[in-house]
Amino acid sequence: MSLAILVVFGFLKIPFESQTEQKLKDKGFRDWVPNMSAREQLTQASFIGAIGGFRSLVASIYDLRAHEAFRDKDWGSVERFRKVTTSLQPRFAKHWDLAAWDMAWNAYAYYRSKSEFSDDDLELWRIEKMIMPSYLEKGLSFAKEGAKWTPESYRLPMVIGDIYAQKYNNPKLASEWYFKSSQAKDAPSYIYRAYATQLAKCVGMEEEAYKVVSNLYNGGKVRTLTLRRDMERLEAYFVNKLVQSNSINELKEMVKKENSNYIIYDAIATHYLGEENNISLAVNAYRELVKNPKAPDFYRRKFALLIARDPANEERAYGLLKNMYLSTPQIFRRVDLIELKKIESNLNIPLNEKLIKSDASR
Amino acid sequence: MTVENNEPIDNELNSKFKLFSPSRVMAIAMNTFTQLVRMKVFYFLLIFSVLIIGANVLFLNFTFEQELKILQDVSFGAMTLFASIFSIVGTALLIPKDIEDRTLYSILTKPVPRFEYLIGKLLGILFLVAVSLVLMSILFFAVLFFRQHGILAEEINQMRGQPTAEQISSLKENIFAQGLRLELINGVVAVFLKAAVAAAIALVVSTFASSTLFTIIVSLVIYFIGHAQSMALDYYFPEGDMHGAFQRFIAGIVAIIFPNLQIFNVVDGIVSGQSVPMSLMFRLTGLTGFYLFIYSFVSWVLFAKKEL
């Protein structure tokens, strides 16, 4: 009788259970499949634990084991344990992030330092040509797989961008992944800046990069040193392009038509400094340029350094530079600091009043 | 007093007797709860406290995501374990203990139907599990609350220079998204629902079992099969591809008789940051109600015939 009741109700419950199971699958609660490969990866106790509703706890235990293996520099085990944690909880972005980090940074750096101490050429070749690239690939592969599992998170696309930027030195791919990462809802603002930085490094994409960088420079809340340098470098690129493709008369015509385009003034000044070496005409061009409120503040530095080329105006220029240095030191590049040091030396500025006390070129 | 004179009194009593009385069920439930509390079951809270405080202190060298996840994993793991043990062992102990203490006889000689006794016992257990889970949740949420604030302070201290308000707010959002959030309550509810089904299974087994040990072992086996059944079916018969009549029969029996406890395992996803829609929680609650009804009914059928 009891068995009959169980069977009758059992038939009734099956569709309801199946629907619930399907809904859980649709919502991503059934990502882990306890197949043969999972059984081989886990110990028996862990496998039972994972089936019995402690999957997250088992993943954390394997995370600790991976950490332990990392401390022992046992990279094979680190990889194995990271595979377990990521397969048990694929929607936890940090598992993928740590796996990618352990492979592409920690294992890679370990073998790089090992190669530095190796005297055996064959061993060195093996490490540099086989082991190190393979760990980079593994890190990248973890990160790409993680990005598929966590499409809503900024984290894994950012890690992929980091690997392309810092390990493969591929700014184009890095910028693409940083951009993808920056579009996520939870993305911090620095990722879009990283995108701009990588884009600014891409040869042939200067116009696109300039749009992004100038938008950030003019509209962003944070004006980082990198952003300032990228802005200056990209503007210098467009100035050189203008100088190379236009005569001075054409530039003068252009500035009449586009008076607000301060870059043309810089092109005129560059032209005077390059072909004619006429500092006073270049100074005049810069004088017009710095009147433009849209001109970035590094043009004021360029202007003051240009004035300082004339010994008669050096002291006045130093006064301007000093004020600039004290208010916005970020606009001074290393090469500018060397110039500033020279000016201080020419003017015999006492040591205690010098702005640049140490070797600026360091 | 003659026999004839007693008839009106009996009739009066019979007319007052209700087939099902919630107050009688509640009296049994509260008695069961008190009985279990006297067994000093709440001492487990000390172990739970040590576990979560230990998890909180031992993993300070990890990233905040790992640290908060481990804390949640250990807490939910302990909650699941304690709730399941209470449900199965507590239920397995009750009927044999009532027989041993002869309490059962004094209850059943009163006008208490056997199904009321069973429902009362089950409710008593569920009440105990609920109270335990509430106490554990309070402890867990308090530790998580203080830890996430501690982590925020540590992270701000480690930042170079004076962090901007935007940086602090972004950091806070990131940390708190992994910390104390409403979604965790759904996890606790899911743990309770699974424990309730486990208690109902143990109740069925205890009605025909010959010993407490037998009840515990059989209930644990069913509990394990309940977790593995859907996976085993998927594994052995992918896409419904049954290999033979016998396999099909076995698979059918397993699916029909045993509950699918795997559907209550939403905690893993919640800890990962996934959210369970309310419709799914209602579905799980409904399914639990269905299981409780079936197993209570089967228990009553078995218990009604039992010679005491």
Side-chain angles (χ1 to χ4, degrees), chain A residues 190-215:
Chain A
Y190 64 81
I191 296 174
Y192 192 74
R193 290 200 295 273
Y195 157 64
T197 304
Q198 292 304 315
L199 199 61
K201 286 180 187 170
C202 293
V203 179
M205 295 176 76
E206 288 80 7
E207 289 201 10
E208 193 185 337
Y210 184 66
K211 272 184 202 162
V212 174
V213 170
S214 58
N215 272 343

Side-chain angles (χ1 to χ4, degrees), chain A residues 17 21 30 32-35 47-54, chain B residues 194 201 219-237 250-251 254-255 258-265:
Chain A
E17 276 180 353
E21 192 68 45
R30 292 289 175 267
W32 180 68
V33 182
N35 52 24
F47 188 71
I48 291 169
I51 288 177
F54 300 98
Chain B
K194 188 159 80 170
I201 293 167
S219 303
L220 283 175
V221 169
I222 296 173
Y223 185 76
F224 182 73
I225 294 172
H227 278 99
Q229 64 126 308
S230 66
M231 291 179 183
L233 291 181
D234 282 350
Y235 177 59
Y236 287 110
F237 312 110
I250 294 293
V254 169
F258 297 104
N260 181 358
L261 293 178
Q262 197 60 243
I263 55 175
F264 296 102
N265 287 344

Side-chain angles (χ1 to χ4, degrees), chain B residues 171-243:
Chain B
L171 184 67
K172 191 174 172 182
E173 206 175 298
N174 272 337
I175 295 171
F176 286 17
Q178 318 270 334
L180 189 58
R181 54 205 190 276
L182 275 173
E183 206 58 48
L184 296 179
I185 294 173
N186 281 343
V188 178
V189 172
V191 170
F192 173 74
L193 296 178
K194 188 159 80 170
V197 178
I201 293 167
L203 189 72
V204 175
V205 180
S206 69
T207 51
F208 65 82
S210 50
S211 70
T212 305
L213 190 63
F214 177 83
T215 309
I216 293 171
I217 290 170
V218 172
S219 303
L220 283 175
V221 169
I222 296 173
Y223 185 76
F224 182 73
I225 294 172
H227 278 99
Q229 64 126 308
S230 66
M231 291 179 183
L233 291 181
D234 282 350
Y235 177 59
Y236 287 110
F237 312 110
E239 308 284 320
D241 177 23
M242 304 283 179
H243 301 294

Side-chain angles (χ1 to χ4, degrees), chain B residues 4 49 63 91 106 128 132 148 176 196 246 257 276 308:
Chain B
E4 289 79 24
S49 313
T63 62
T91 314
S106 52
L128 178 92
S132 314
Q148 71 183 21
F176 286 17
F246 180 69
I257 294 183
V276 193
L308 297 165

